[in-house]
């Protein structure tokens, strides 16, 4: 972990979580306020339907909230979509953009992800910009070049002066229980850091780079202590407060 950057652990609930799941937020809030105070910022990105309740329930225990996506435009005729300012209005401070599931399911391109990140920044949110290679790309030795290209295309110039977060999520590790080796994570995060510093000489050293993809209570301590891993983006293991708290405590 790069010690000068305060770590951040974000939970991505994806399309999971009815109102009953708010109990997990209450449980997490209880765990966070009774034990030693967490060494990481804690963010939950629930479905938009319960976002404002998550904000309210989390407020007293320092749990922050984020959206899982936002539109690339500020407002208008886009049935079913959600704008960055709507998320901010509901109490969100973060929003995930360019998750691989959205890139795959909705054909999102780097240019679109960049436009979404710009909207997020304009609405006062901190975008969590996701990048990551497929298994075939890793097997053919292209992982770092693929991620570099995604970063170039998806990270807006505004990242030099506004807070953004990068999440490296190898697609083949998401929801599979498989993770890259510690060496591979170290190399990828160093390469992302190098690119951020060369593009943003003033701020590149302080941009958080999260690792995501089968981050679990069992592997959190090892992965979160890798150099240039400044926290995690957690899917499945964020749904249960106990598991998520164990990951937070691993920081
Ligand atoms: P996972 O998902 O932790 O369930 O692998 C991570 C993510 O997609 O953000």
């Amino acid at each position: 972990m790069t010690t000068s950057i305060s770590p951040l652990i974000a939970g991505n609930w994806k399309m999971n979580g009815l109102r009953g799941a708010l109990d997990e937020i209450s449980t997490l809030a209880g765990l966070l306020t009774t034990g030693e105070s967490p060494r990481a910022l804690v963010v939950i990105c629930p479905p938009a339907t319960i976002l404002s309740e998550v904000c309210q329930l989390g407020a007293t225990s320092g749990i922050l909230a984020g959206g899982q996506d936002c539109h690339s435009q500020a407002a208008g005729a886009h049935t079913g979509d959600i704008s960055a300012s709507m998320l901010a209005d509901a109490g969100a401070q973060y929003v995930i953009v360019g998750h691989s599931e959205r890139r795959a399911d909705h054909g999102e391109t780097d240019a679109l992800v960049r436009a979404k990140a710009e909207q997020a920044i304009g609405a006062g949110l901190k975008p969590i910009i996701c990048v990551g290679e497929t298994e075939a790309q890793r097997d053919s030795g292209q992982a770092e070049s693929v991620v570099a290209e995604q970063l170039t295309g998806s990270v807006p110039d505004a990242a030099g002066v506004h807070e953004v977060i990068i999440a490296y999520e190898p697609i083949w590790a998401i929801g599979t229980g498989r993770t890259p080796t510690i060496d591979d994570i170290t190399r990828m995060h160093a390469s992302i850091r190098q690119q951020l510093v060369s593009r943003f000489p003033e701020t590149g050293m302080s941009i958080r780079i999260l690792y995501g993809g089968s981050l679990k209570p069992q592997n959190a301590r090892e992965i979160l202590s890798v150099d240039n891993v400044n926290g995690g983006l957690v899917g499945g293991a964020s749904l249960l407060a106990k598991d998520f708290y164990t990951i937070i405590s691993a920081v």
Side-chain angles (χ1 to χ4, degrees), residues 12 14 99 101 169 173-175 213-215 233-236:
N12 173 13
K14 310 191 179 186
H99 190 281
E101 285 151 18
E169 298 203 303
I174 295 176
S214 295
L215 196 57
L233 181 56
V234 187

Side-chain angles (χ1 to χ4, degrees), residues 101-209:
E101 285 151 18
R102 292 211 56 94
R103 289 178 187 259
D105 295 353
H106 301 274
E108 296 195 359
T109 60
D110 288 332
L112 182 68
V113 173
R114 183 189 194 115
K116 289 179 176 211
E118 281 164 355
Q119 275 298 325
I121 290 168
L125 299 175
K126 297 162 190 122
I128 301 173
I129 304 168
C130 301
V131 293
E133 81 285 358
T134 63
E135 185 160 33
Q137 288 164 336
R138 174 156 290 274
D139 288 347
S140 60
Q142 293 173 282
E144 283 179 28
S145 61
V146 164
V147 166
E149 193 181 323
Q150 288 174 335
L151 282 174
T152 303
S154 306
V155 176
D157 292 337
V161 282
H162 291 275
E163 186 175 343
V164 305
I165 294 141
I166 307 299
Y168 166 59
E169 298 203 303
I171 297 170
W172 51 273
I174 295 176
T176 59
R178 297 164 56 208
T179 54
T181 65
I182 293 298
D183 272 1
D184 286 341
I185 296 176
T186 307
R187 260 196 297 276
M188 181 61 83
H189 279 245
S191 146
I192 293 172
R193 175 68 66 210
Q194 199 177 30
Q195 193 176 344
L196 291 173
V197 169
S198 97
R199 181 160 165 203
F200 306 111
E202 309 274 303
T203 54
M205 267 317 284
S206 59
I207 296 175
R208 287 191 187 88
I209 307 171

